[in-house]
Amino acid sequence: MMVDAGAFPLFLDGDVVIALTSARAYQLHSSVLRRTSATFRRLLDEGDAPTLSPRKKKQGKTVCFRINLTRPASDDEGIFVLQVSSVDPTVAPSIQNAGNRSDVGPTLEAENGKEVDELYRHYDNLFRTYYSLKPIIDDSSLTTTVRDSVGLLSVAEAVGSVDVISELVDVALLRQGQTLFSAIGRNAGAWSNIALRVRSPVIFQESIIHLVGQWPAMSMEERGKLDKEVAEVCRAKHEQLQLVRQSVEIRLLGHYPSLVQRDTAEAPGRTTYSGDIYMWMAIGLFRHWFSQSICEERGRAAKDGGTTLYRQIATAGYAYLDRKALHGFHQYFPMTIKGAACLENNLSAYKEELKQFVSPLLLNRSQLQPEKEAVPYLTCCKVEREDIPWLSRAESETELERASRRNRARRMAGSEADSEAATDNGCDAGDDERDEDSEMADGDDGFPFAEDELADSDLFEILSQGGPVDNSQAVQLAEEC
């Protein structure tokens, strides 16, 4: 059915009147409402509609249903109630502002001298989307955008129309750019809930990245307030990240620069090693400092997940073990000025080599611009498509359907082959049934992926399997680095 959206909100051929108030109503099409709303699909049964004679239709009498919005105290979005018995198709509906069209819609500025309830604005936007019209969302600030977007989302949820408006709301929110992403960082838990409701992959990924970074500092009460699906993803990603942190810390403690390494074939003597005494002292000094930092819970056990410590190592130079610290070292191990300078130079060279090991932890996978707004936690969490609940469910259902079709095809092919063999060899039907049962028991279970397809050498992919933290696994990962 072709519909002229320009006639919104009063379609002369509309067969449904939706009354939000006694003075605010819409004349829409039941076919459109059934297609876009689970609630209206349930309410608008063609069998309940009164029959209109050709003469009545010619007279412009098209209304078959009237739906009223009631607002009990317990339901902010209201409840739509069908009143078929009260609809007289011979009487035209009473609709305010009958001359209005899509450029203005029903007057939303005032009603009887009073400001219009926000709920009616949201329903007006929802009905617009039914006819592919852009909802009116005030994007002058993030506050007004969220107000209008969440309001539209709430009424869409009330009538089962989230699929219709989710992309529109997502786009409206993403237009806020860095303002939106800054707000997500400040309140990632609330935004993760909005992302689930809107089904916004970008907002969900951004929320998870910040929540995983903030996870060590979050209390059990704060974690308990998260949606169950969000909490499960965050917990799994945190455990993966902990294992990465552990492997990085082990790698830092076990690194030997190429300068001090020797070829076993040369059988080096004492003098060969003594020439590198200052580098060996630098290695010992760093390991002393780093081990003490780990014991003081400044590493992966810290509230910031080791962010401050890892950033110090990535900065190198005088970000840690500066001249003041070296002066304290020389109080116990005095040197000449030249010797102290040699130690400092070797320590600086060693620090430069260590930077590479913490760089994976300091990747910024969030949409925030760190040069403008640095956050006190790691944002290196990688959120994959399969981590997004609604996408993962959809893909799982699709794969199961494909596997089921494959299995049915195999069974049908097997049954046909058995039937032909039975005809040729004089086998009875009982053999066919036993063959089919055996095939069903021993056949493919429909799992869509082979084990080797799941393998990936990327460090974050290796750790994405979750499970308990195993020190031996961390050591192996560190050695592979």
Side-chain angles (χ1 to χ4, degrees):
M1 174 183 177
M2 296 298 294
V3 175
D4 178 16
F8 180 88
L10 305 174
F11 295 93
L12 297 180
D13 59 344
D15 57 343
V16 181
V17 170
I18 299 180
L20 302 183
T21 69
S22 59
R24 185 173 305 284
Y26 297 75
Q27 186 172 347
L28 308 177
H29 302 89
S30 61
S31 59
V32 174
L33 295 173
R34 290 191 194 98
R35 186 175 66 249
T36 54
S37 165
T39 296
F40 293 135
R41 188 160 51 248
R42 173 175 52 82
L43 292 177
L44 300 175
D45 187 342
E46 292 183 359
D48 295 333
T51 303
L52 296 178
S53 65
R55 185 171 64 86
K56 296 298 182 185
K57 291 181 179 180
K58 189 174 181 180
Q59 293 174 352
K61 306 297 192 290
T62 60
V63 177
C64 297
F65 300 93
R66 181 180 179 87
I67 297 177
N68 294 331
L69 176 68
T70 62
R71 298 188 65 182
S74 60
D75 194 332
D76 292 338
E77 281 71 47
I79 299 174
F80 283 104
V81 178
L82 180 66
Q83 294 184 347
V84 178
S85 59
S86 65
V87 176
D88 182 355
T90 64
V91 180
S94 174
I95 302 179
Q96 185 186 26
N97 303 315
N100 289 330
R101 287 295 180 259
S102 61
D103 55 338
V104 291
T107 302
L108 293 174
E109 300 304 323
E111 185 177 283
N112 296 328
K114 298 180 180 179
E115 186 175 352
V116 176
D117 192 317
E118 289 292 336
L119 178 67
Y120 304 143
R121 296 180 185 272
H122 302 324
Y123 271 118
D124 183 75
N125 273 336
L126 179 63
F127 296 150
R128 285 174 176 274
T129 64
Y130 288 174
Y131 289 89
S132 301
L133 297 174
K134 183 179 178 181
I136 301 173
I137 295 177
D138 183 357
D139 59 358
S140 58
S141 69
L142 180 61
T143 301
T144 57
T145 302
V146 170
R147 179 199 65 198
D148 291 347
S149 298
V150 173
L152 174 58
L153 175 62
S154 296
V155 297
E157 289 173 333
V159 297
S161 297
V162 174
D163 289 341
V164 179
I165 59 91
S166 58
E167 185 175 347
L168 296 169
V169 172
D170 191 20
V171 170
L173 292 170
L174 292 177
R175 282 202 192 101
Q176 295 295 315
Q178 285 298 307
T179 304
L180 168 67
F181 299 129
S182 296
I184 294 174
R186 291 191 298 270
N187 195 356
W191 280 102
S192 68
N193 184 51
I194 292 178
L196 284 176
R197 295 171 62 191
V198 178
R199 299 174 191 171
S200 169
V202 175
I203 296 178
F204 184 82
Q205 289 173 329
E206 189 75 4
S207 301
I208 295 298
I209 289 172
H210 289 284
L211 284 171
V212 172
Q214 298 166 7
W215 196 261
M218 292 175 66
S219 65
M220 294 302 295
E221 182 181 358
E222 291 173 323
R223 297 177 185 178
K225 294 179 180 179
L226 298 174
D227 180 89
K228 182 179 179 181
E229 290 183 315
V230 172
E232 288 177 356
V233 174
C234 290
R235 190 175 296 107
K237 292 296 179 181
H238 170 68
E239 291 175 358
Q240 296 164 18
L241 187 53
Q242 281 294 82
L243 199 54
V244 176
R245 291 186 184 107
Q246 184 179 16
S247 67
V248 167
E249 291 174 3
I250 292 173
R251 193 68 185 86
L252 287 167
L253 285 170
H255 176 64
Y256 292 93
S258 57
L259 175 66
V260 301
Q261 298 177 24
R262 298 291 186 269
D263 187 351
T264 56
E266 296 179 0
R270 290 178 296 174
T271 56
T272 303
Y273 285 105
S274 64
D276 299 328
I277 183 62
Y278 288 110
M279 178 57 75
W280 282 106
M281 292 180 70
I283 294 172
L285 182 56
F286 169 80
R287 291 182 177 177
H288 180 181
W289 172 81
F290 189 68
S291 299
Q292 185 171 336
S293 298
I294 298 300
C295 292
E296 293 173 350
E297 297 188 346
R298 296 181 54 221
R300 65 182 185 277
K303 292 293 185 182
D304 66 351
T307 304
T308 302
L309 180 64
Y310 303 144
R311 286 176 178 172
Q312 284 180 308
I313 295 173
T315 304
Y318 293 118
Y320 65 100
L321 288 177
D322 55 11
R323 286 179 175 172
K324 182 179 179 180
L326 289 176
H327 178 73
F329 174 78
H330 292 313
Q331 297 298 311
Y332 298 93
F333 307 98
M335 295 181 181
T336 63
I337 295 177
K338 183 176 180 180
C342 287
L343 174 60
E344 183 177 340
N345 291 337
N346 279 270
L347 181 60
S348 296
Y350 187 56
K351 288 178 180 179
E352 288 298 318
E353 290 196 20
L354 296 174
K355 292 167 62 173
Q356 60 182 311
F357 302 120
V358 297
S359 58
L361 290 173
L362 299 179
L363 287 174
N364 176 37
R365 287 195 166 93
S366 76
Q367 299 292 332
L368 284 178
Q369 299 174 357
E371 64 276 8
K372 295 183 178 180
E373 187 173 355
V375 293
Y377 48 83
L378 299 179
T379 55
C380 61
C381 174
K382 190 174 184 179
V383 182
E384 303 285 5
R385 182 180 178 86
E386 56 266 23
D387 298 319
I388 302 175
W390 64 92
L391 296 181
S392 178
R393 284 194 295 269
E395 291 179 356
S396 297
E397 292 171 359
T398 301
E399 291 298 337
L400 286 173
E401 290 173 359
R402 291 174 182 170
S404 179
R405 287 197 297 270
R406 289 197 299 267
N407 287 337
R408 285 197 299 270
R410 292 191 187 105
R411 288 196 294 269
M412 291 176 64
S415 297
E416 292 175 359
D418 290 345
S419 178
E420 291 176 1
T423 301
D424 295 339
N425 301 325
C427 297
D428 57 21
D431 291 333
D432 288 340
E433 294 176 359
R434 285 193 295 273
D435 290 341
E436 184 174 346
D437 292 340
S438 175
E439 182 177 347
M440 292 176 64
D442 299 333
D444 181 14
D445 60 1
F447 188 74
F449 301 109
E451 291 183 2
D452 57 351
E453 291 178 323
L454 299 177
D456 197 312
S457 59
D458 183 81
L459 182 59
F460 284 88
E461 296 293 340
I462 293 173
L463 299 176
S464 66
Q465 304 305 316
V469 175
D470 185 351
N471 289 339
S472 62
Q473 185 182 2
V475 173
Q476 181 181 356
L477 289 172
E479 292 174 350
E480 291 175 355
C481 289

